[in-house]
Amino acid sequence: MNCLQDSNIDNAISVFRSERQFLDESQIRIPPRPTKRSGDDAPSSKSAPEGRPKPANAGVKIYNLVILIVDIVVMLVRWIYYTLEALYMVAVPPKPESVAKDIVLVTGAGHGIGRCLAQQYAQLGATVVCLDINDKMNQETVSGIKKERGNAFGYVCDVTNREQIIETATKIKEQVGVVTILVNNAGIMPTHTLLKQTEGEIRKTFEINVMAHFWMLQTYLPDMIQKNRGCFVALSSIAGLVGLNNLVPYCGSKHAVRGIMEACHEEIRMDARKPNIKFTSVYPYMVDTGLCKRPHMRFPNLMRLVKPEEAAAAIIDAQRRGLIDVSIPKYLLYLNTFVRLFPLKAANLLRDFLDSGVESDL
């Protein structure tokens, strides 16, 4: 299957075409066919009336048709290959890469998933940079890692403040080094109906859950591109895949995270430099960190609250294996994709049957 890798296919295609795929009349210099006037034996060219398009040359049509057929065949072959490759990787995931030489930055490292991420990355030998707006809790995380003989640094940073992010990044680069793995974990989740959400809550939700991703990406991506090594991990949510009651602003913010990550992945994919930058989007189910104040579920054994330690381990595993999308538990991503093949009313039947979500905290 290695013969179907991108570089090999692109080299093969280049035999059939140049960078410009199709030709038109302006690109070729084929003299017009001579015609005879009545009563005149001298050949002459009959020009088309002004304003009427010139008839397409048969050679151009054939060439463009061949190129189109080649493109279709190549696309179908690659489509089949990538589909088989994806199925194979579900059964046999890629081996996790070592993070021992990486500098990992975790936002919201003072508690919950962020603290667990920082601790587990340190246990794997990575140098961990802990960011949090709460200095006391952040230092507790750093101290705990150092007690276990891990390598950790702590910085106070408000991820909604672009200038502060840039200043902190400069300090980190000077004092620690270039960040090669960035985990955007910080987030908030007000849980009540939209009409009871205040303007301040909605704005703060998007400042932390969405805008912070832009500022962190713009700040740390250039050094990763220059180093030609890096990975961004963004915590979206199951609420970034489906809409949920009492979570309208939160769902909107987490859907935005998914769009940001997909678009960034596409920009890097289309970059002529082909930088070795990866993007991993994570969609956890409700995690027992205190954000879900009043969860409810019909089948608690099937859809129980995820422990922060379990969530952190799954996130790190996905990042180390280079996965683009992963849900926690893993089956929820596949379930959501499958259910969306059916009408919305049918999908709602499954939602009502599972009866899982959060109650208003007011």
Side-chain angles (χ1 to χ4, degrees):
M1 296 177 81
N2 290 335
C3 64
L4 298 178
Q5 294 297 328
D6 288 349
S7 58
N8 295 334
I9 295 175
D10 292 338
N11 290 336
I13 295 174
S14 65
V15 175
F16 295 97
R17 64 177 182 180
S18 61
E19 289 186 6
R20 187 175 180 88
Q21 180 175 352
F22 295 110
L23 295 178
D24 54 42
E25 289 291 334
S26 64
Q27 294 175 282
I28 58 175
R29 296 184 178 275
I30 301 177
R33 184 178 179 181
T35 58
K36 290 185 179 181
R37 295 179 182 176
S38 58
D40 188 1
D41 293 335
S44 64
S45 60
K46 193 172 184 180
S47 58
E50 202 64 35
R52 291 180 59 185
K54 295 180 180 180
N57 183 277
V60 175
K61 285 185 174 181
I62 293 173
Y63 173 84
N64 288 340
L65 180 60
V66 170
I67 292 300
L68 180 61
I69 292 173
V70 169
D71 279 349
I72 292 173
V73 171
V74 169
M75 182 190 70
L76 291 175
V77 171
R78 294 172 97 170
W79 187 294
I80 294 170
Y81 170 77
Y82 291 142
T83 301
L84 294 176
E85 180 187 53
L87 292 173
Y88 174 80
M89 289 176 66
V90 169
V92 185
K95 293 182 179 180
E97 296 181 356
S98 172
V99 293
K101 296 182 180 179
D102 285 291
I103 297 176
V104 183
L105 186 152
V106 180
T107 66
H111 68 288
I113 297 177
R115 175 172 288 183
C116 294
L117 284 167
Q119 292 170 339
Q120 292 183 26
Y121 268 118
Q123 291 168 4
L124 292 169
T127 298
V128 181
V129 178
C130 301
L131 256 62
D132 203 292
I133 196 171
N134 188 316
D135 185 37
K136 181 181 178 182
M137 297 181 70
N138 200 42
Q139 289 304 320
E140 288 176 0
T141 302
V142 173
S143 298
I145 291 172
K146 289 182 176 179
K147 284 181 181 178
E148 298 295 327
R149 298 183 180 179
N151 196 16
F153 299 82
Y155 296 87
V156 176
C157 184
D158 179 0
V159 294
T160 67
N161 188 321
R162 188 172 186 271
E163 290 72 23
Q164 195 174 130
I165 288 174
I166 295 172
E167 292 174 3
T168 305
T170 302
K171 292 179 183 177
I172 292 171
K173 187 175 180 180
E174 292 173 352
Q175 299 171 7
V176 185
V178 175
V179 172
T180 51
I181 299 174
L182 192 155
V183 185
N184 279 316
N185 163 73
I188 61 171
M189 189 177 73
T191 54
H192 31 274
T193 60
L194 176 62
L195 297 182
K196 293 183 179 178
Q197 297 265 355
T198 66
E199 178 185 353
E201 284 177 323
I202 295 173
R203 289 187 182 277
K204 190 174 182 181
T205 297
F206 275 80
E207 285 289 337
I208 297 175
N209 294 6
V210 180
M211 301 307 297
H213 288 263
F214 289 116
W215 312 146
M216 298 295 285
L217 283 161
Q218 287 185 333
T219 301
Y220 289 94
L221 184 57
D223 281 338
M224 289 188 184
I225 292 176
Q226 186 175 4
K227 194 178 179 67
N228 196 34
R229 175 179 172 79
C231 179
F232 284 93
V233 180
L235 266 71
S236 180
S237 168
I238 291 300
L241 299 175
V242 298
L244 297 171
N245 188 33
N246 293 316
L247 291 173
V248 175
Y250 182 77
C251 287
S253 70
K254 292 303 183 178
H255 273 75
V257 170
R258 183 183 191 184
I260 292 168
M261 293 291 282
E262 286 188 2
C264 283
H265 180 274
E266 182 65 10
E267 280 198 1
I268 291 297
R269 188 180 74 87
M270 299 301 292
D271 192 314
R273 296 168 293 181
K274 302 298 180 184
N276 183 28
I277 310 296
K278 299 177 182 179
F279 297 88
T280 298
S281 299
V282 185
Y283 307 95
Y285 181 62
M286 291 184 288
V287 183
D288 191 12
T289 60
L291 289 179
C292 296
K293 297 179 177 64
R294 298 183 62 189
H296 68 86
M297 54 207 70
R298 183 178 181 183
F299 304 104
N301 292 330
L302 178 65
M303 303 184 73
R304 63 180 176 82
L305 288 179
V306 179
K307 294 181 179 179
E309 297 82 3
E310 295 175 359
I315 293 165
I316 294 173
D317 182 71
Q319 178 271 308
R320 294 178 64 200
R321 295 181 190 275
L323 303 184
I324 296 174
D325 293 294
V326 64
S327 63
I328 306 172
K330 288 184 178 180
Y331 73 86
L332 289 179
L333 187 63
Y334 303 113
L335 179 62
N336 176 69
T337 302
F338 175 74
V339 170
R340 286 187 178 275
L341 297 173
F342 296 90
L344 179 60
K345 289 182 179 180
N348 286 339
L349 289 175
L350 180 61
R351 287 193 189 191
D352 295 342
F353 175 75
L354 294 175
D355 190 23
S356 175
V358 294
E359 301 288 350
S360 172
D361 56 5
L362 295 180

